[in-house]
Amino acid sequence: MIHFLQFQLLRKFLQNLKEVFIQNQRRRLLERLKIILKKNEKIGKFNLLCFEGEFHYTPSPGNFYMLSKDNYEFILPRPFSVFDFKNGKIYFLIKKVGRFTDFLFHLKPGEEIFLNGPYGKKIEHFDKIIFIAGGIGFAPLHFHSLFTNDFYFFFGGTTKDEILCHKFIEKNIFVSTDDGSFGYKGDVLSLFKSHLNKIDFKERKIFACGPRNMLKELKKISEEIKIETYFYMEERMGCGFGGCKGCAIKTINNYRLLCKEGTVFLSSEVIFE
Ligand SMILES: Cc1cc2nc3c(=O)[nH]c(=O)nc-3n(C[C@H](O)[C@H](O)[C@H](O)COP(=O)(O)OP(=O)(O)OC[C@H]3O[C@@H](n4cnc5c(N)ncnc54)[C@H](O)[C@@H]3O)c2cc1C
Ligand code: FES
């Protein structure tokens, strides 16, 4: 009888410990951190921002963060992929499209913003990959490639200014520009197709990120050549963790929340309209 009671007490104690651990993990995942800009470097059309902060959690490929500034001008936080994370510093590659990204472009060393996350499901696949990036889609794929040994990287932009960051990839990188100002003249999918008889693509998986039209076209190509393909999807986001339901995308399994169930989806699941 005493043994049974001891066992029950021990079980309850372990259960409590587990709950405290899970709550702590959740709190950390959703923690709001102040991060301080160390460097704001212009790389062609994009800016690479390096921030320092007291990070409790190391981001993985597939994760993203919500960035914000504590003022009434920017009420909603904005989602950004991790470009790199090393030595207690986080890097974001930014394309200026509106007010918040313009604000980030003009941020000066020593100035601070806030970061929530990491959010999104992490990716576990790091072998035999073909990365295909269009424009700023380079950011999350660059981070993913840092964990991957055996890969080919196809990267396209409209002009040379959009692909200068290709220098961060040291091997097996193929570059295209629409106007032919650098690398292959044409879009990145034509570049990829022109390499199909030169690379061993059969046992590989594709991870792609870029404009919707690019992903829509790639979905057709990957079905034709029968290669498993995953898309890093993008949608406007309000919260980043499933609260606002604003980031739903249409899939073969009904609408799904990009921030919670993605942002990476199998291409065959996504329905483009
Ligand atoms: C998971 C995820 C990761 C992202 N990673 C990066 C990144 O690494 N680097 C980067 O520069 N950007 C990234 N973005 C896009 C970035 O969040 C938007 O560009 C940013 O929120 C725009 O804010 P803004 O105030 O400058 O522009 P706004 O004034 O809000 O919008 C300006 C224009 O951009 C369009 N736009 C805004 N947000 C999006 C979006 N999410 N998708 C498509 N069009 C949009 C608007 O429709 C509008 O036409 C990411 C988006 C998501 C969802
Ligand atoms: S961003 Fe709010 S639910 Fe996805």
Side-chain angles (χ1 to χ4, degrees):
M1 183 64 181
I2 287 180
H3 278 132
F4 177 72
L5 280 174
Q6 279 174 335
F7 174 73
Q8 289 293 76
L9 277 171
L10 184 67
R11 209 173 67 150
K12 200 152 179 60
F13 172 74
L14 288 175
Q15 249 172 8
N16 285 344
L17 204 65
K18 191 175 152 197
E19 266 164 36
V20 169
F21 177 76
I22 291 172
Q23 271 172 15
N24 204 28
Q25 282 298 94
R26 270 200 204 122
R27 190 182 63 78
R28 283 185 170 185
L29 280 177
L30 302 177
E31 200 156 46
R32 187 160 191 260
L33 281 184
K34 187 194 284 180
I35 51 172
I36 298 168
L37 188 77
K38 288 275 129 192
K39 202 170 172 195
N40 196 341
E41 185 188 353
K42 186 170 167 56
I43 301 173
K45 221 173 174 179
F46 305 147
N47 272 27
L48 183 62
L49 277 69
C50 166
F51 292 94
E52 210 168 50
E54 303 268 322
F55 296 96
H56 297 289
Y57 192 83
T58 306
S60 300
N63 288 152
F64 67 93
Y65 285 93
M66 299 298 281
L67 302 185
S68 59
K69 179 72 189 163
D70 230 0
N71 63 21
Y72 291 111
E73 205 185 334
F74 303 114
I75 291 166
L76 286 180
R78 308 289 207 278
F80 292 93
S81 309
V82 184
F83 178 78
D84 200 352
F85 183 86
K86 59 186 175 207
N87 308 324
K89 295 193 181 70
I90 193 159
Y91 297 75
F92 295 103
L93 187 70
I94 306 293
K95 178 180 181 180
K96 185 161 73 175
V97 296
R99 280 189 317 125
F100 189 71
T101 43
D102 181 58
F103 157 77
L104 290 177
F105 259 53
H106 292 99
L107 208 62
K108 297 202 171 50
E111 291 184 327
E112 62 190 37
I113 60 167
F114 291 91
L115 164 151
N116 283 61
Y119 299 120
K121 278 192 183 165
K122 57 182 182 183
I123 309 286
E124 308 278 359
H125 189 85
F126 303 120
D127 192 32
K128 288 187 173 289
I129 293 182
I130 297 171
F131 293 109
I132 304 183
I136 193 64
F138 182 75
L141 298 185
H142 169 265
F143 190 49
H144 194 161
S145 77
L146 297 176
F147 294 75
T148 312
N149 277 324
D150 180 1
F151 65 81
Y152 294 104
F153 204 120
F154 294 87
F155 177 31
T158 45
T159 62
K160 186 181 173 184
D161 271 1
E162 261 195 28
I163 46 90
L164 287 184
C165 45
H166 78 273
K167 65 180 184 193
F168 290 100
I169 305 281
E170 285 168 4
K171 56 178 185 184
N172 293 345
I173 172 102
F174 306 93
V175 179
S176 71
T177 48
D178 293 352
D179 66 356
S181 50
F182 196 94
Y184 174 91
K185 183 174 180 179
D187 63 75
V188 69
L189 295 184
S190 308
L191 172 67
F192 167 60
K193 282 196 279 186
S194 73
H195 277 75
L196 280 179
N197 55 359
K198 298 178 198 151
I199 60 172
D200 54 328
F201 70 91
K202 286 275 185 232
E203 288 168 23
R204 293 179 182 270
K205 293 183 186 3
I206 293 177
F207 282 83
C209 185
R212 233 179 163 73
N213 281 346
M214 178 194 117
L215 300 183
K216 196 172 170 182
E217 183 59 28
L218 179 58
K219 181 175 157 132
K220 285 189 218 146
I221 298 171
S222 62
E223 277 162 12
E224 274 165 31
I225 60 174
K226 297 189 175 41
I227 175 165
E228 201 172 302
T229 298
Y230 294 84
F231 293 154
Y232 278 75
M233 298 293 293
E234 260 197 36
E235 201 42 81
R236 301 213 70 166
M237 288 185 178
C239 66
F241 53 82
C244 71
K245 316 287 179 220
C247 64
I249 60 158
K250 198 169 180 184
T251 74
I252 52 170
N253 302 311
N254 216 337
Y255 282 90
R256 291 171 71 190
L257 292 182
L258 200 69
C259 65
K260 253 182 106 176
E261 299 173 74
T263 61
V264 180
F265 286 93
L266 201 54
S267 65
S268 54
E269 285 182 278
V270 181
I271 297 175
F272 293 102
E273 291 178 317

